[in-house]
Amino acid sequence: MKQRVVIDTGPLVSALDRRDQWHSWSVAQLDLIQPPLLTCEAVISEAHFLLGRVFGGRDALLGLLTEGFVRIPWQLSEELVSVNVLLKQYESVPMSLADACLVRMVEQYSESQILTLDSDFQIYRMNRDQVIPVIMP
């Protein structure tokens, strides 16, 4: 089965922001990964907000979606109960909505891993007790 990569906000933003400290690393990772990358609406919302300070960043983000390089195959509305359980479980971290969605995605997409800059994914667990496979610096 083909390895699926679920992308978090950090690498998405840093790949599109040449001034970001993780830009080179993120671009190199994206060059190694066969598209499409998967994500959720919450990640796109966060990235869109953060790219407001990057000239052409928001257009580039939406271009990745239009071209199918990044896809949103997952719907929060169908997973609200499970996402809410995760948010309560990791309330002390605290877990963001985007992070909860990504954890739920890797639970559902077998053989997937998260491309992230966020060390909280080393704390979170999928299916209550399994380490989440991550690609991170």
Side-chain angles (χ1 to χ4, degrees):
M1 176 177 277
K2 180 180 145 186
Q3 185 81 25
R4 296 181 190 161
V5 176
V6 177
I7 190 166
D8 192 12
T9 307
L12 200 49
V13 170
S14 66
L16 298 173
D17 181 357
R18 293 175 188 210
R19 295 174 297 160
D20 188 281
Q21 68 173 336
W22 296 107
H23 174 75
S24 295
W25 181 87
S26 296
V27 169
Q29 295 306 307
L30 295 180
D31 286 343
L32 296 172
I33 297 168
Q34 182 179 354
L37 287 88
L38 309 179
T39 199
C40 62
E41 298 102 329
V43 164
I44 297 301
S45 179
E46 285 182 353
H48 190 269
F49 175 78
L50 293 171
L51 288 167
R53 60 180 169 72
V54 177
F55 180 77
R58 289 177 169 173
D59 288 338
L61 173 66
L62 297 179
L64 292 175
L65 291 165
T66 302
E67 295 163 10
F69 188 83
V70 176
R71 291 195 183 147
I72 307 170
W74 187 89
Q75 297 295 311
L76 174 59
S77 61
E78 298 171 9
E79 296 295 330
L80 281 172
V81 172
S82 298
V83 166
N84 196 38
V85 167
L86 287 166
L87 289 168
K88 288 180 180 178
Q89 180 180 350
Y90 293 102
E91 197 168 26
S92 65
V93 174
M95 178 182 256
S96 71
L97 178 62
D99 288 359
C101 293
L102 296 180
V103 170
R104 186 65 184 133
M105 286 179 74
V106 295
E107 289 177 339
Q108 294 179 303
Y109 296 115
S110 62
E111 303 298 318
S112 61
Q113 54 190 336
I114 297 179
L115 178 63
T116 187
L117 301 172
D118 185 348
S119 62
D120 288 343
F121 284 99
Q122 295 175 324
I123 298 168
Y124 305 145
R125 295 292 179 257
M126 61 181 188
N127 301 315
R128 299 198 63 75
D129 63 354
Q130 296 173 346
V131 173
I132 297 171
V134 296
I135 303 167
M136 63 186 305

